[in-house]
Amino acid sequence: MKAENTPFWHALELAWCSDGALSLHSIRLLDAMQNMIGLSNSDRAEIESQFEENVVYDLTRAGFGCGDQALAAWVGTLTFLDDPASYDVSKAMGKAAMLAGLSRERWLASHSWMSQLGLGQPYAEGVWLEGDEAGEIARVPALLVPVAKTIGLIDQDE
Amino acid sequence: MWLIQMLAPEQILHAAMILSVESEDGINEGLISQVQESLECDAEDHEAAMSHIENHRDGGDWGGRRDAVLHRSRERVREAMDNDSLPSSGPLSDELNTLVGEQDDGGEIDPFAELGVASGGAGGSFGGQAVDSSDPLSAFMDDDDEEEEDLVDGDGFLASDSTLNLDGEVVEDDVAEPEAEEQPVVEEVEEEPEEEPEEEQPTTTPNVAYEMLMSTCWIDGILDPAEAKLLARKREELGITFEQHLEMLQSMLERSS
């Protein structure tokens, strides 16, 4: 699993990158997210250390961590994981990704991303057409929008 | 076996003539004329190819190698159409497609069949033969390829007694050559298979064959539905679990990265 292809990395980007600062509120949100997705301390430490090296050191502070607004909104979407439909939606998204044309890099990135949310299995089943036929995905849940952009289901600009 | 060399026009004409001669209605000179014109072959090429066919056709048996000869001829015509040596659209193309299709050898190519693996569960059957589960590797011994190697090589049409040289030119057979001179060569060729140790036979397990097929998924950079469907079907047929598939996929991608 590559650190940059994970939801937690995306959360760090939201927290840090709006103004180059991390607020206390963001730290608490990151803690909450870690608990919600069952991320181990060691995995979190690895992701955060890589994020610092690759992103934070190049940032220029221009505020007081206003990224916590966007982060709070996104962490709120983690409730999707409790939705019984999350399995089917993930599977449908896998199928949609494959139908859209999935490169090896996109497969690795998206599977890594979905796996950290515990949705790697249904996503893979959708991509590789395993088991029952996956349905069509009507709307990409907010939680999965970043990975949907990665695999080209949603335009990067949207 | 894949053709990697560009075929000479004479070889393509020769292949088309063989298919036409062996078609239900016999040779279609009108069609062959169009092929000849399209390939810019002259009357001498036509005559030489026809002479070769007459000398080797053996009443359509081709010395017991009819299937291989027709298969290679179809491959050559198809390749010529693919690389635009022959038209890939239009009336001539339609006629050639009919000619090739008329003697088609099975339609869609199953890569597993090419690898010698057929469906039938983990211990299943391979290459059309039932397999003893205690010796699954023996299933992948495919002597068809060897037979064809003997018959055909990448340069000429009939390697062992070809009358086509590297340029696709027909070389007249020396019919009067005494058999005694050829005999030692035949003996040498026949002795080789007996000396080959069994260990040198191709050994492929279903998992390895599946992995080889899987590795072709991204050969064009994109996984497409047909590939995903083929792999899903093969997992079921070979008894490969989805977890095994993901493990093999992961290790394959790690190796290639």
Side-chain angles (χ1 to χ4, degrees), chain B residues 28 55 62 72 128 153 213 225 235:
Chain B
N28 179 343
N55 286 338
W62 293 91
R72 174 48 59 97
D153 67 18
L213 182 64
R235 280 197 298 278

Side-chain angles (χ1 to χ4, degrees), chain A residues 13 20 32 59 65 97 100 112 115 157:
Chain A
E13 285 178 328
L59 292 174
S112 165
S115 293
D157 299 334

Side-chain angles (χ1 to χ4, degrees), chain A residues 6-24:
Chain A
T6 59
F8 199 78
W9 182 281
H10 177 69
L12 289 168
E13 285 178 328
L14 292 174
W16 275 98
C17 296
S18 67
D19 57 9
L22 182 71
S23 71
L24 184 60

Side-chain angles (χ1 to χ4, degrees), chain A residues 91 94-95 98 102-104 107 111 120-131, chain B residues 210 213-215 217-218 223-225 227-233 235 242 245-246 249-250 252-253:
Chain A
K91 190 168 180 176
K95 184 182 172 187
M98 184 270 294
L102 193 59
S103 69
R104 159 192 320 229
W107 156 255
H111 187 244
Q121 179 74 11
Y123 177 73
E125 288 176 4
V127 168
W128 297 101
L129 302 176
E130 181 70 10
Chain B
Y210 181 78
L213 182 64
M214 194 165 57
S215 69
C217 282
W218 278 299
L223 172 72
D224 69 44
E227 291 163 339
K229 278 178 193 165
L230 175 64
L231 286 172
R233 200 174 68 231
R235 280 197 298 278
F242 190 58
H245 159 76
L246 289 179
L249 177 66
Q250 188 178 353
M252 183 190 83
L253 293 175

Side-chain angles (χ1 to χ4, degrees), chain A residues 60-150:
Chain A
T60 303
R61 182 173 172 177
F64 298 92
C66 292
D68 58 359
Q69 303 288 324
L71 178 59
W74 194 67
V75 169
T77 66
L78 283 168
T79 53
F80 170 74
L81 298 177
D82 299 324
D83 188 331
S86 62
Y87 183 97
D88 290 337
V89 169
S90 301
K91 190 168 180 176
M93 201 161 93
K95 184 182 172 187
M98 184 270 294
L99 292 175
L102 193 59
S103 69
R104 159 192 320 229
E105 292 72 24
R106 284 181 172 186
W107 156 255
L108 284 170
S110 56
H111 187 244
S112 165
W113 215 93
M114 295 294 280
S115 293
Q116 196 177 72
L117 294 176
L119 299 172
Q121 179 74 11
Y123 177 73
E125 288 176 4
V127 168
W128 297 101
L129 302 176
E130 181 70 10
D132 299 332
E133 177 83 4
E136 302 297 319
I137 187 159
R139 187 178 60 85
V140 177
L143 176 63
L144 305 182
V145 165
V147 71
K149 287 181 178 175
T150 301

